[in-house]
Amino acid sequence: MKQHYIFLLALTWMVLACSGMEKQENSSEEFDVEEALEHCKVKLYYSIKNFQDEKRLPRHIKKGEQHWSGSSINSWTVGFYPGILWKMYDYSKEQEFLLNAQFYTQMLEPIKSLPWKTHDLGFMMYYSYGLGYEITKNQHYKAVLLEVADSLATLYKPEVGIMESWPWMKRKKGWPHTTIIDNMMNLELLFWAAENGGKQILKEIAIAHALRTRKDFIREDNSTVHVVVYDSISSKVIKKVTDQGYSDYSTWSRGQAWGIYGFAKAYQYSGKQEFLETSQKLADYYLDNLPADLIPYWDFNAPNIPNEEKDASAASITASALFDLSQMVSDSEQSERYFKAGKEILKNLSSANYLSENSDAFLEKSVGSHAGKQEVGIPIIYADYYYLEALLKLKEIQNNEQLVNTN
């Protein structure tokens, strides 16, 4: 399914949006979230027009190219494009985004029946079916989500006290039970399901996982470990390593971002103060170790800083989480710090250094796996998702403040 588009109108929007961004860069004016959202809307129209593969979903844009390359529904990233479409429809109410959000969401339904299990079911299905349900209240979407949540929960191993992220590591490396910091992001599906007609044990599993992650993944300086390998019988930690960071002792920036965001969500759903405190500690480490433009290098300890790749995806994830934290903490100074930092990150991402001009993406310069030499320094779909999400959170906070100020 492809819709017909008003190309000249989109082109006009592109000119207006780009001119607005240029004006912003060349002045000391306040960051205009509406201009940034307009940029995203125009780019999304172009991606709908140019992405012609109806059996795959956008994942990244290769160096020197302008349009998205796709991946099959087996990829952990497949939920982000429908998530972007749902978010943009909710913001704009334009039918083109709704029709495409429905199409790409429906494309993912076979995932619920796949024989393999991965912690990424949360990424894959919550941002597609979950957002779709929240916006449309489509009961079929809810039923699929509840089914997938039960499937995700099978990765929880009570004898270890934490979910298994990569079951295939038993065969590949002989690791009995492997969990990664990224898994914190997929707990939202379990929390959501427990609140929406699913089994209450799903919430208990999510809390148990977050508690064990808090215990084993966070170093004394509040940086995070990427991978923890457990003994599946005694539950003891065998080793702590990295898969995508620079070293076993370094701090992979996107992993730190996953931790900030994931623990903030765990607090939101559970009300457990220790999760909020953990998110804050991880956020403080992150903010205290950033370069001047607040966009992190792919690893905080990469060996050739400042001649290392920046990661716009880690910045986008963290900006979104910082806006959540700014509304969660009771201390006004902390709230202001997180809000200002999130806003400044978005402002810098929306500059010529990171904003995409010639491709269909919102942002340039993300890093998938630097260690694996994959998706380095290019647009990646999840960076765009969290950038848009962060912009919408900023807009909502600013609108609420304006309402308060006028009363």
Side-chain angles (χ1 to χ4, degrees):
M1 179 207 70
K2 287 291 173 188
Q3 305 300 318
H4 295 288
Y5 309 99
I6 307 174
F7 183 75
L8 290 178
L9 178 58
L11 185 60
T12 301
W13 281 343
M14 172 67 86
V15 171
L16 289 173
C18 289
S19 64
M21 290 293 174
E22 182 178 359
K23 179 181 178 182
Q24 174 193 308
E25 289 172 27
N26 295 330
S27 72
S28 59
E29 294 178 5
E30 182 76 359
F31 172 57
D32 191 331
V33 66
E34 295 287 357
E35 287 183 358
L37 286 167
E38 190 68 16
H39 167 83
C40 293
K41 184 162 70 170
V42 172
K43 290 288 188 175
L44 191 52
Y45 264 109
Y46 274 92
S47 75
I48 292 171
K49 174 182 180 293
N50 293 320
F51 188 72
Q52 298 298 319
D53 189 339
E54 296 185 5
K55 295 183 180 180
R56 298 161 71 84
L57 292 97
R59 172 157 178 156
H60 59 239
I61 297 178
K62 298 176 182 177
K63 285 187 181 294
E65 297 188 5
Q66 295 179 303
H67 310 313
W68 291 103
S69 293
S71 61
S72 73
I73 65 169
N74 293 333
S75 169
W76 74 274
T77 62
V78 291
F80 293 109
Y81 189 63
I84 289 170
L85 289 161
W86 283 120
K87 289 281 188 185
M88 189 57 74
Y89 167 68
D90 194 42
Y91 164 69
S92 71
K93 305 307 180 190
E94 295 181 20
Q95 290 296 301
E96 215 70 77
F97 299 128
L98 172 62
L99 293 173
N100 282 275
Q102 291 170 329
F103 174 76
Y104 285 107
T105 295
Q106 188 65 32
M107 187 187 293
L108 302 184
E109 185 156 350
I111 289 172
K112 71 179 185 180
S113 303
L114 291 175
W116 48 264
K117 296 292 182 288
T118 169
H119 77 104
D120 292 319
L121 286 171
F123 282 126
M124 299 161 86
M125 301 301 273
Y126 185 77
Y127 292 140
S128 53
Y129 279 82
L131 293 182
Y133 174 72
E134 291 300 319
I135 292 167
T136 68
K137 300 305 178 185
N138 183 321
Q139 292 301 307
H140 177 66
Y141 290 172
K142 180 179 179 179
V144 170
L145 273 177
L146 292 176
E147 183 176 346
V148 173
D150 286 343
S151 180
L152 177 61
T154 63
L155 290 172
Y156 180 72
K157 309 301 179 186
E159 59 272 22
V160 185
I162 198 167
M163 294 175 70
E164 190 172 18
S165 304
W166 292 340
W168 54 88
M169 281 298 186
K170 294 186 185 73
R171 180 185 70 256
K172 185 176 180 180
K173 292 190 176 182
W175 293 351
H177 181 110
T178 305
T179 301
I180 61 176
I181 188 67
D182 319 38
N183 208 324
M184 283 298 303
M185 296 293 291
N186 294 298
L187 301 184
E188 185 167 14
L189 175 56
L190 300 181
F191 280 122
W192 178 92
E195 289 187 357
N196 288 273
K199 302 168 185 174
Q200 287 306 297
I201 195 173
L202 298 177
K203 181 177 181 179
E204 297 170 16
I205 288 171
I207 290 173
H209 180 97
L211 288 171
R212 185 88 203 236
T213 301
R214 183 173 180 263
K215 176 176 180 286
D216 294 335
F217 281 76
I218 301 171
R219 304 184 182 108
E220 289 187 7
D221 65 354
N222 295 317
S223 64
T224 52
V225 174
H226 182 203
V227 183
V228 177
V229 181
Y230 295 93
D231 186 299
S232 59
I233 298 175
S234 70
S235 82
K236 291 182 178 179
V237 173
I238 296 174
K239 57 183 173 181
K240 301 181 179 184
V241 297
T242 194
D243 184 71
Q244 292 179 260
Y246 167 62
S247 78
D248 294 346
Y249 307 99
S250 69
T251 304
W252 175 46
S253 61
R254 197 167 83 241
Q256 190 79 9
W258 292 142
I260 298 167
Y261 193 117
F263 277 103
K265 283 293 180 183
Y267 168 72
Q268 176 186 325
Y269 281 97
S270 71
K272 287 188 170 293
Q273 193 68 26
E274 58 262 50
F275 295 156
L276 176 59
E277 292 170 357
T278 301
S279 181
Q280 287 183 255
K281 289 177 180 179
L282 301 185
D284 291 342
Y285 174 92
Y286 183 101
L287 294 175
D288 290 343
N289 288 278
L290 287 175
D293 71 351
L294 305 187
I295 313 302
Y297 297 99
W298 68 276
D299 190 294
F300 282 101
N301 308 105
N304 299 311
I305 292 173
N307 299 313
E308 293 280 0
E309 295 279 356
K310 296 289 191 74
D311 187 2
S313 73
S316 297
I317 296 160
T318 304
S320 183
L322 288 172
F323 290 131
D324 289 341
L325 282 177
S326 75
Q327 304 303 294
M328 291 174 174
V329 297
S330 56
D331 184 274
S332 60
E333 289 186 5
Q334 291 176 323
S335 175
E336 185 176 10
R337 184 194 188 205
Y338 296 141
F339 177 78
K340 285 184 174 180
K343 188 175 181 180
E344 192 67 19
I345 290 169
L346 285 185
K347 182 177 180 180
N348 292 343
L349 285 173
S350 302
S351 72
N353 289 330
Y354 298 97
L355 208 66
S356 172
E357 292 185 5
N358 299 318
S359 79
D360 295 340
F362 306 160
L363 297 175
E364 303 280 356
K365 299 183 182 177
S366 290
V367 177
S369 176
H370 195 284
K373 298 180 180 179
Q374 297 176 340
E375 299 179 318
V376 177
I378 60 174
I380 305 178
I381 195 66
Y382 47 82
D384 281 12
Y385 172 83
Y386 290 106
Y387 175 67
L388 176 60
E389 182 181 80
L391 289 172
L392 291 170
K393 287 179 181 178
L394 172 58
K395 176 180 169 60
E396 182 179 5
I397 293 170
Q398 290 180 332
N399 286 346
N400 288 339
E401 286 177 351
Q402 289 169 2
L403 289 172
V404 170
N405 291 336
T406 57
N407 290 334

